[in-house]
């Protein structure tokens, strides 16, 4: 193994609060990239030195060496930066599938999302921009929020608001010349989810794929009756497990192509394996807001 990220779902699995629990004992880590060291005599299509990634993702990437069947590995272009190959499956693929699967968006339409500084949020902004789709982005109030706004705008965000800015009755006044969004993404919950709902147009859809605030999504009765909003949920593991291995790999190759072309990027911090304790503290939020931690073996 060359590199593997620390994702919130990895931590949840260790804590025992994730809905799917691998049989114990197990090694943590669910995605990552490696280099083929050796192969069995009957293996074809892979050679020592090839760059491969765990696809579809499965437990056991937080270790220096993995022995698995050939079908577990997906060969990728050697020119792919290892930190992106290690992180492309869960967050960027989530962003792509949510944009593609719920509403038939056209160029000129809009998406609203909270948690916009997350890796998924950064990917949503760029993937939407490539399709001519506008993004309305919500971030939490924190020190450095002005810098965070500027970074998201450089990625292609149309507008970025802190939650406190939207503490008004009519948020639609903030849209200026942007269309009311047909699709919203929620990875926070609580008040941040309510803000997404406020922006959605008549008949719009909000997709929940996370709950960082650990607070429920509360929906007003009028949102259902008068605005006819739809609430959906997205879980990547279920999507991948629906016999979609080849489709998943095609999507990953597409995303890695964008990365190599410089059309998709996101914040990460590479951490040497001997500093994984610090990286874990950062991933747990003990050291304030930090970029995605990627362990380099």
């Amino acid at each position: 193994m060359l590199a593997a990220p620390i994702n919130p779902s990895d931590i949840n699995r260790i804590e025992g609060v994730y809905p799917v629990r691998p049989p114990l004992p197990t090694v943590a880590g669910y995605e990552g990239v490696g280099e083929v060291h050796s192969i069995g005599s009957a293996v074809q299509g892979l050679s020592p030195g090839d760059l491969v990634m765990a696809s579809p993702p499965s437990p056991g990437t937080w270790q220096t060496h993995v022995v698995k069947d050939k079908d577990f590995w997906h060969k990728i272009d050697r020119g792919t930066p290892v930190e992106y190959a290690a992180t492309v499956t869960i967050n960027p693929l989530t962003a792509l599938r949510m944009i593609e699967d719920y509403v038939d968006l056209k160029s000129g339409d809009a998406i609203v999302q909270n948690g916009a500084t997350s890796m998924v949020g950064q990917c949503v902004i760029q993937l939407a921009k490539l399709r001519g789709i506008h993004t309305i982005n919500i971030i939490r109030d924190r020190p450095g929020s002005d810098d965070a706004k500027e970074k998201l705008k450089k990625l292609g965000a149309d507008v970025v608001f802190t939650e406190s800015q939207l503490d008004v009755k009519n948020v639609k006044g903030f849209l200026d010349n942007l269309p009311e969004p047909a699709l919203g993404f929620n990875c926070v919950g609580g008040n941040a989810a309510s803000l997404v709902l406020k922006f959605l147009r008549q008949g719009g859809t909000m997709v929940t794929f996370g709950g960082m605030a650990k607070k429920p999504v509360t929906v007003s009765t009028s949102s259902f009756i008068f605005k006819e909003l739809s609430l959906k949920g997205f879980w990547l593991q279920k999507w991948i497990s629906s016999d979609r291995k080849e489709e998943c790999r095609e999507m990953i190759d597409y995303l890695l192509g964008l990365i190599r072309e410089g059309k998709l990027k996101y914040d990460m911090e590479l951490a040497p394996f001997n500093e994984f304790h610090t990286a874990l503290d950062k991933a747990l939020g003990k050291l304030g807001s930090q970029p995605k931690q990627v362990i380099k073996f």
Side-chain angles (χ1 to χ4, degrees):
M1 293 300 294
L2 299 176
I6 302 176
N7 288 314
S9 56
D10 296 323
I11 295 169
N12 291 157
R13 284 184 175 90
I14 294 168
E15 293 171 332
V17 298
Y18 202 72
V20 175
R21 303 176 188 180
L24 298 177
T26 190
V27 175
Y30 212 67
E31 63 176 333
V33 64
E35 182 179 80
V36 176
H37 176 65
S38 59
I39 59 173
S41 58
V43 171
Q44 297 181 348
L46 286 179
S47 303
D50 285 346
L51 193 66
V52 293
M53 55 187 296
S55 177
S58 66
T61 60
W62 288 5
Q63 54 186 329
T64 57
H65 293 76
V66 180
V67 180
K68 292 221 180 197
D69 188 83
K70 172 184 174 288
D71 288 343
F72 175 81
W73 304 107
H74 177 46
K75 182 179 175 179
I76 58 177
D77 191 297
R78 283 292 312 185
T80 307
V82 294
E83 65 271 26
Y84 281 99
T87 56
V88 72
T89 303
I90 292 177
N91 290 293
L93 188 57
T94 291
L96 179 62
R97 294 288 12 120
M98 292 196 303
I99 291 172
E100 297 274 339
D101 290 351
Y102 290 93
V103 175
D104 184 15
L105 296 170
K106 303 288 192 299
S107 179
D109 286 342
I111 294 170
V112 57
Q113 65 171 344
N114 58 33
T117 57
S118 68
M119 189 181 287
V120 172
Q122 294 174 60
C123 291
V124 164
I125 290 168
Q126 295 167 88
L127 294 172
K129 183 86 171 176
L130 288 170
R131 291 159 172 74
I133 298 167
H134 303 287
T135 56
I136 299 132
N137 302 276
I138 304 167
I139 64 175
R140 61 188 176 90
D141 293 270
R142 63 178 186 186
S145 58
D146 288 339
D147 290 339
K149 287 181 181 181
E150 289 306 311
K151 286 179 71 173
L152 294 182
K153 287 179 180 178
K154 286 179 181 178
L155 292 179
D158 289 272
V159 290
V160 187
F161 304 107
T162 59
E163 292 179 22
S164 62
Q165 282 182 282
L166 301 176
D167 190 19
V168 295
K169 188 171 184 179
N170 180 21
V171 298
K172 302 288 178 66
F174 289 103
L175 288 176
D176 293 327
N177 295 320
L178 295 177
E180 289 183 309
L183 181 62
F185 300 143
N186 164 50
C187 67
V188 181
N191 181 60
S194 300
L195 295 176
V196 170
L197 292 169
K198 280 185 179 182
F199 272 108
L200 288 177
R201 74 185 187 196
Q202 182 81 19
T205 298
M206 183 175 80
V207 180
T208 292
F209 65 100
M212 293 189 295
K214 297 183 179 178
K215 294 181 180 178
V217 174
T218 304
V219 188
S220 66
T221 303
S222 61
S223 294
F224 283 126
I225 296 176
F226 303 115
K227 289 186 70 178
E228 299 179 290
L229 298 183
S230 297
L231 272 66
K232 306 282 188 177
F234 178 81
W235 187 25
L236 182 68
Q237 184 165 330
K238 183 178 180 182
W239 185 87
I240 289 175
S241 64
S242 302
D243 197 25
R244 285 184 164 126
K245 182 173 74 173
E246 291 308 315
E247 186 180 356
C248 173
R249 291 181 174 182
E250 288 176 7
M251 296 294 100
I252 286 170
D253 288 341
Y254 164 71
L255 292 166
L256 290 176
L258 293 179
I259 288 165
R260 289 191 296 270
E261 293 169 16
K263 295 178 180 178
L264 182 65
K265 56 186 177 181
Y266 37 84
D267 289 339
M268 290 175 287
E269 184 176 7
L270 281 168
F273 181 64
N274 60 1
E275 296 179 13
F276 79 88
H277 290 96
T278 302
L280 187 58
D281 283 343
K282 288 180 178 179
L284 289 166
K286 294 181 179 180
L287 302 176
S289 180
Q290 301 285 338
K292 174 73 69 179
Q293 297 296 301
V294 182
I295 303 298
K296 190 171 182 179
F297 298 105

